[in-house]
Amino acid sequence: MGFAFKYGYSLLCIMALLPAISYSQDYTFSRATYYGSPDCLGTPSGACGFGEYGRTVNDANVAGVSRLYKNGTGCGGCYQVRCKAPNLCTDDGVNVVVTDYGEGDKTDFILSPRAYARMAHPNMAVELIAYGVVDVEFRRIPCRYSGYNLMFKVHEHSRFPDYLAIILLYQAGQNEILAVELWQEDCKEWRGMRRAYGAVWDMPNPPKGAISLRFQVSGSAGVTYWAQAANVIPSDWKAGIAYDSTVQLS
């Protein structure tokens, strides 16, 4: 399932499972494994609803998570994951994006094969893959998408003008989206959208005309605030198109 974007983009995805074990400074100790993929990329059918974006975003360094999925709120979050296998792994590990839900054998992250291999030194990837499951430590890091604002993609299952579903893409920083609302001009009030699943929000019978959105953001410092994108989706919106919000989260 591909994305038709109004603007150009580049992609990366991750799948991760996160049962925390203990802490070392700002890292959490756990384990990670990887899932099967013929092209080493992510999956377009992930629980976050990202589709093709979730398969290839962040150069396909993506992961599925369990606890960190947070009923979909954790979708789009970024983590640094580094393995603890002696002599096999780099100090930096790999930076991944959460694009799916998954559970493994006492693991926090189920990584794309590409992301799993990138934890290793260049000549040690085969040996690391042979481990199957490896001890890791991870920490939350800001997502960075140079040149991109937060974007709203109209889900392919939307039906103009009776049903609108949107997906939030390029969610930068260490932010989580807690709620999304549409402005109802005739009633002069904000109407809440439903989190259908993952990063997908929907509403039957959306307002006619250009659509303004606001979304509740929980930042890295624990501060919750509302950000607004006026007329971000045009009156003649089409399924499969992503619209630039001009909003940059940090």
Side-chain angles (χ1 to χ4, degrees):
M1 176 174 63
F3 280 6
F5 277 86
K6 185 179 180 182
Y7 304 95
Y9 64 101
S10 64
L11 301 177
L12 160 67
C13 31
I14 65 169
M15 303 183 69
L17 295 175
L18 306 167
I21 300 176
S22 61
Y23 294 86
S24 170
Q25 297 179 353
D26 57 347
Y27 286 91
T28 299
F29 287 99
S30 186
R31 302 205 305 165
T33 186
Y34 61 94
Y35 58 88
S37 171
D39 56 9
C40 297
L41 305 182
T43 171
S45 58
C48 289
F50 287 138
E52 188 66 17
Y53 172 91
R55 196 175 86 87
T56 56
V57 66
N58 191 35
D59 197 24
N61 295 309
V62 299
V65 296
S66 55
R67 178 181 61 85
L68 295 185
Y69 182 72
K70 302 177 184 177
N71 294 319
T73 302
C75 289
C78 293
Y79 292 87
Q80 179 188 12
V81 184
R82 55 191 194 185
C83 69
K84 308 301 291 182
N87 304 319
L88 287 182
C89 301
T90 66
D91 292 336
D92 293 334
V94 63
N95 297 339
V96 297
V97 180
V98 173
T99 59
D100 202 354
Y101 175 89
E103 297 183 6
D105 180 16
K106 299 179 182 178
T107 60
D108 275 328
F109 290 88
I110 301 180
L111 301 166
S112 67
R114 178 172 299 188
Y116 190 88
R118 285 182 177 174
M119 292 191 294
H121 290 294
N123 59 337
M124 297 291 184
V126 173
E127 288 85 347
L128 183 61
I129 290 289
Y131 267 64
V133 178
V134 67
D135 292 332
V136 299
E137 58 182 11
F138 69 90
R139 65 176 177 175
R140 182 76 183 266
I141 59 173
C143 296
R144 292 187 173 90
Y145 301 106
S146 178
Y148 295 96
N149 301 314
L150 181 69
M151 300 185 75
F152 298 98
K153 176 183 180 283
V154 179
H155 196 281
E156 286 86 352
H157 292 167
S158 298
R159 300 183 303 276
F160 181 86
D162 301 320
Y163 172 73
L164 174 65
I166 61 172
I167 311 164
L168 281 64
L169 308 176
Y170 299 111
Q171 183 177 315
Q174 294 190 45
N175 305 286
E176 295 179 347
I177 306 299
L178 306 179
V180 180
E181 297 181 342
L182 277 68
W183 177 249
Q184 182 83 42
E185 178 62 28
D186 53 357
C187 299
K188 303 297 181 184
E189 66 179 13
W190 290 98
R191 292 175 55 193
M193 300 189 77
R194 178 185 71 120
R195 185 190 291 276
Y197 64 94
V200 181
W201 300 79
D202 68 355
M203 174 182 286
N205 303 312
K208 291 180 171 54
I211 294 175
S212 295
L213 294 167
R214 71 174 185 176
F215 42 99
Q216 189 179 39
V217 181
S218 175
S220 57
V223 177
T224 299
Y225 62 94
W226 287 91
Q228 186 170 331
N231 300 321
V232 64
I233 299 178
S235 57
D236 59 346
W237 52 265
K238 294 178 175 60
I241 302 297
Y243 300 96
D244 193 325
S245 72
T246 73
V247 173
Q248 290 186 339
L249 299 178
S250 60

